Amino acid sequence: MIDLVPIVKDHFNTLRSHSTNRVLWGEVAFFYGLPMVVGVGGAILGWRVGGVGNILAAFAILAGLLFNLLVLLFDVAAKAAQGAGGVGLQNVRLKLAKHLQANVTYALLVALVSASILGVASGMGLERINRWASGVLLVLLAHFTLTLLMIMRRIRSAFLNSLT
């Protein structure tokens, strides 16, 4: 059996303050609450996702790119661990690499779940899906987008940190 709980836990643990290690509930509400509002709102308003095949293709491409980023992160983390900071808690590059790995793996999980739903819909010959499934997809799409933005922010931090 494949246990996906550690992937979710690792991602959730990146939503903590670096100095106090306390959960940043504002960020949790933003990253999980906002997509829920979008999805529930879309379902209530009767929005139906169309272009299932195109969205499936986009998620498949993004999932492939995320796999590639995960492989690159492995190399970055290995180099950061060998660097001057070692594997200690003070190695900021290694900590950023671990957070990035958790976020990228989680984004990949969200992309694969979304692609699975879209793949089933596409396999059934649906070009538009009902409003409830559309609501679920809107939640996943919004959450995926916010997670990608978080990954971009962390990559930027890692890049800036490597320059100092």
Side-chain angles (χ1 to χ4, degrees):
M1 172 111 178
I2 299 172
D3 187 12
L4 302 175
V5 173
I7 293 172
V8 176
K9 282 184 179 179
D10 289 347
H11 172 72
F12 191 78
N13 283 331
T14 67
L15 300 174
R16 294 180 172 273
S17 169
H18 296 291
S19 57
T20 63
N21 203 31
R22 299 179 90 181
V23 175
L24 300 171
W25 290 109
E27 285 200 22
V28 172
F30 179 72
F31 282 101
Y32 291 94
L34 182 62
M36 292 295 281
V37 168
V38 170
V40 169
I44 289 171
L45 294 173
W47 294 350
R48 294 179 60 199
V49 172
V52 171
N54 293 334
I55 299 171
L56 174 59
F59 269 108
I61 290 168
L62 287 171
L65 292 172
L66 287 171
F67 268 120
N68 189 28
L69 181 57
L70 206 52
V71 171
L72 289 172
L73 281 171
F74 179 76
D75 185 53
V76 168
K79 287 179 182 175
Q82 291 174 355
V87 292
L89 293 174
Q90 300 303 319
N91 191 338
V92 176
R93 288 183 189 146
L94 185 58
K95 188 173 186 177
L96 280 170
K98 285 180 179 181
H99 283 198
L100 269 169
Q101 178 274 333
N103 297 144
V104 169
T105 305
Y106 180 79
L108 187 55
L109 176 64
V110 173
L112 291 175
V113 168
S114 301
S116 297
I117 293 170
L118 290 164
V120 168
S122 180
M124 293 172 62
L126 301 175
E127 185 54 33
R128 294 186 69 164
I129 54 178
N130 71 40
R131 69 181 190 163
W132 300 109
S134 291
V136 170
L137 281 172
L138 286 171
V139 169
L140 292 169
L141 180 59
H143 186 59
F144 180 73
T145 302
L146 291 175
T147 305
L148 285 181
L149 291 172
M150 176 195 296
I151 291 167
M152 273 183 14
R153 184 181 71 187
R154 292 193 188 225
I155 288 174
R156 180 182 178 275
S157 294
F159 179 76
L160 292 176
N161 183 270
S162 70
L163 296 177
T164 58

